[in-house]
Amino acid sequence: MSKEMLEAFRILEEDKGIKKDDIIDAVKESLRSAYRRRYGQADSAAIDFNEKTGDFHVYTVREVVDEVFDSRLEISLKDALAINTAYELGDKIRFEEAPTEFGRVAAQSAKQTIMEKMRKQTRMITYNTYKEHEQEIMSGTVERFDNKFIYVDLGSIEAQLSKQDQVPGESFSSHDRIEVYVYKVEDNPRGVSVFVSRSHPEMIKRLMEQEIPEVYDGTVEIMSVSREAGDRTKVAVRSHNPNVDAIGTIVGRGGANIKKITSKFHPRRYDAKLDQMVPIEENIDVIEWVPDPAEFIYNALAPAEVDQVIFNENDSKRALVVVPDNKLSLAIGRRGQNVRLAAHLTGYRIDIKSASEFEAMETNPVEDIKDVQEAPVIEEVFDANLVEEILGETAEGAKQENLESTVD
């Protein structure tokens, strides 16, 4: 039996990652606890483990006294001398107990303690494993669905893909193999939770690192990404080699690199003419990053032209951008998309004015800049309803949008 116990300890340590010393401590504590329940106290109990034989021994420790008040804790000098004539008052004598009466309870308690340690250890291993992959892309298999999440099997855990982390228009079936971006790993009382996304801006960056060697080795650096998943993305890049064109490298010959990235996503949108959902591609605009913030804002608002960029003296992260009258709608973009993406890409709160509006404002300075329509910096993780509203992904919204564009 002892050899079997040593073998069990070895298996638990090698396969489950639980240290042998932790298991031994758990068994000792279980024996001590069972002894306490059987005899009402455990202060006198000493438990030893024989490393060679794998045996546990339980001892009662009694003090040699003149008069015995508690036989569980004390032994008379007369009885002690009968055992060994060398004993004196105050000596501690160990008596081995046969744990037959409380051994079964101790074994059950030890099993529960070890199982709990196994659960904690397994949870910690799982947490550490996936924590290392935080902010990285992982491949997984779609397992199941509910009203809140798509559950993606990453190997030893089911990750949670929420609606707001999905690309609007994408749909999956069970057992589909997909790539996801791990943006948060939590260890909580209910266990380890892994949250993944396909709409996160950083997923674009990681995909470019995977697909484009110059990005992976750092020759071309992605400075920032602004994304409205399934529709349009802006990526700011710079080159650390004067002989390497950052934009050309990212785009690739004939747009090959961009196509590799967009092929990872499969959004669909309702086509009113065909009366059905049709595949679309997420547009990716590649912008040259420059240290001059005015020039960077100018680049970020492409394809619109910019006359001038004026920074707010009272707010270092706010800028007024003046564009030609005939470029105002292009600068703002459909439903404000272009200026929103530019604002997030640059980190500036951007106010757009046409040249004539700016001239009028200069002539009549009473107008407060607060009245200018502001494009707030969008959050990295969008609200699902907002994204649906922006992209018109519902069939009804898409139909209406197509009807309006036809009327126009």
Side-chain angles (χ1 to χ4, degrees):
M1 184 67 180
S2 299
K3 290 183 178 180
E4 291 178 359
M5 183 162 304
L6 289 172
E7 179 65 13
F9 289 171
R10 184 190 66 79
I11 292 173
L12 285 171
E13 187 167 33
E14 292 181 0
D15 293 353
K16 300 298 182 181
I18 303 177
K19 295 180 180 179
K20 184 177 72 173
D21 290 344
D22 290 340
I23 303 172
I24 293 171
D25 289 343
V27 175
K28 285 182 177 179
E29 183 55 37
S30 299
L31 287 167
R32 188 174 288 107
S33 177
Y35 184 91
R36 184 186 300 111
R37 285 195 292 270
R38 176 67 178 82
Y39 297 108
Q41 51 80 38
D43 293 339
S44 64
I47 301 169
D48 290 343
F49 173 71
N50 189 312
E51 293 277 355
K52 294 182 179 179
T53 65
D55 292 322
F56 285 90
H57 299 276
V58 181
Y59 298 93
T60 298
V61 181
R62 302 176 190 174
E63 184 178 356
V64 179
V65 295
D66 273 332
E67 186 177 357
V68 176
F69 292 98
D70 190 337
S71 60
R72 294 171 300 179
L73 302 175
E74 301 166 331
I75 184 173
S76 68
L77 179 60
K78 179 182 176 181
D79 291 341
L81 291 173
I83 298 171
N84 191 319
T85 56
Y87 283 129
E88 299 178 350
L89 291 174
D91 285 347
K92 306 285 186 179
I93 304 177
R94 295 184 8 146
F95 295 89
E96 185 169 3
E97 301 283 344
T100 53
E101 295 185 9
F102 59 88
R104 185 178 297 276
V105 175
Q108 185 63 29
S109 177
K111 179 181 178 181
Q112 293 174 352
T113 301
I114 292 170
M115 290 298 292
E116 180 60 26
K117 282 183 175 291
M118 284 175 58
R119 283 192 290 269
K120 288 183 178 179
Q121 189 71 18
T122 300
R123 190 169 74 183
M124 184 56 64
I125 291 171
T126 301
Y127 173 77
N128 290 336
T129 297
Y130 289 97
K131 192 68 176 178
E132 290 180 358
H133 291 287
E134 202 172 58
Q135 299 182 352
E136 293 181 0
I137 289 177
M138 297 188 71
S139 293
T141 304
V142 175
E143 286 293 311
R144 57 193 178 91
F145 308 81
D146 63 20
N147 292 331
K148 293 183 178 180
F149 301 104
I150 294 176
Y151 294 90
V152 182
D153 183 4
L154 296 180
S156 60
I157 197 170
E158 279 188 343
Q160 300 174 15
L161 177 63
S162 69
K163 289 184 178 180
Q164 71 179 22
D165 288 313
Q166 297 169 31
V167 175
E170 277 192 327
S171 61
F172 302 104
S173 302
S174 294
H175 309 305
D176 281 352
R177 191 77 179 168
I178 64 172
E179 290 182 307
V180 292
Y181 175 75
V182 180
Y183 68 88
K184 185 167 62 175
V185 180
E186 288 183 348
D187 185 13
N188 51 61
R190 294 176 297 176
V192 179
S193 296
V194 179
F195 299 93
V196 297
S197 175
R198 284 178 59 80
S199 64
H200 202 290
E202 285 294 304
M203 186 169 186
I204 298 293
K205 182 176 181 179
R206 294 290 177 251
L207 286 172
M208 288 183 171
E209 290 173 347
Q210 286 183 357
E211 300 293 342
I212 306 172
E214 292 85 355
V215 176
Y216 179 79
D217 66 21
T219 303
V220 174
E221 182 181 1
I222 298 174
M223 303 300 292
S224 60
V225 180
S226 179
R227 186 182 186 201
E228 292 190 358
D231 191 13
R232 190 176 178 191
T233 293
K234 285 179 181 281
V235 181
V237 299
R238 68 181 298 190
S239 174
H240 293 286
N241 184 335
N243 298 318
V244 176
D245 173 29
I247 295 177
T249 300
I250 297 294
V251 174
R253 181 174 296 179
N257 289 338
I258 293 296
K259 289 177 182 177
K260 288 180 184 177
I261 306 304
T262 57
S263 67
K264 300 289 185 178
F265 306 99
H266 313 284
R268 298 187 302 160
R269 182 170 294 166
Y270 180 78
D271 187 306
K273 293 181 180 179
L274 298 176
D275 192 29
Q276 63 183 20
M277 302 297 286
V278 297
I280 61 170
E281 281 193 358
E282 182 171 330
N283 295 314
I284 299 180
D285 300 334
V286 185
I287 309 298
E288 183 179 4
W289 181 91
V290 290
D292 177 21
E295 187 178 352
F296 185 28
I297 291 173
Y298 181 101
N299 293 344
L301 284 168
E305 297 176 10
V306 174
D307 286 341
Q308 57 181 316
V309 178
I310 304 169
F311 294 98
N312 191 307
E313 294 180 356
N314 300 318
D315 187 345
S316 61
K317 299 303 291 184
R318 185 172 181 176
L320 172 64
V321 176
V322 182
V323 301
D325 287 3
N326 62 346
K327 300 295 182 181
L328 179 61
S329 61
L330 185 61
I332 295 174
R334 180 172 61 90
R335 297 182 182 177
Q337 184 187 69
N338 192 56
V339 70
R340 273 197 311 275
L341 291 173
H344 190 208
L345 191 73
T346 62
Y348 281 83
R349 302 169 73 91
I350 298 175
D351 305 318
I352 299 287
K353 280 283 189 181
S354 68
S356 58
E357 287 174 330
F358 179 70
E359 184 179 349
M361 187 177 70
E362 291 281 275
T363 305
N364 183 15
V366 176
E367 182 180 3
D368 194 321
I369 194 170
K370 292 180 181 179
D371 295 332
V372 178
Q373 182 181 1
E374 184 181 288
V377 176
I378 55 178
E379 296 294 334
E380 288 190 352
V381 180
F382 299 107
D383 178 82
N385 294 328
L386 176 60
V387 173
E388 284 193 357
E389 179 185 344
I390 292 170
L391 303 183
E393 285 299 325
T394 62
E396 184 178 351
K399 284 182 178 179
Q400 184 63 34
E401 184 179 325
N402 276 277
L403 287 173
E404 291 176 359
S405 62
T406 301
V407 173
D408 291 341

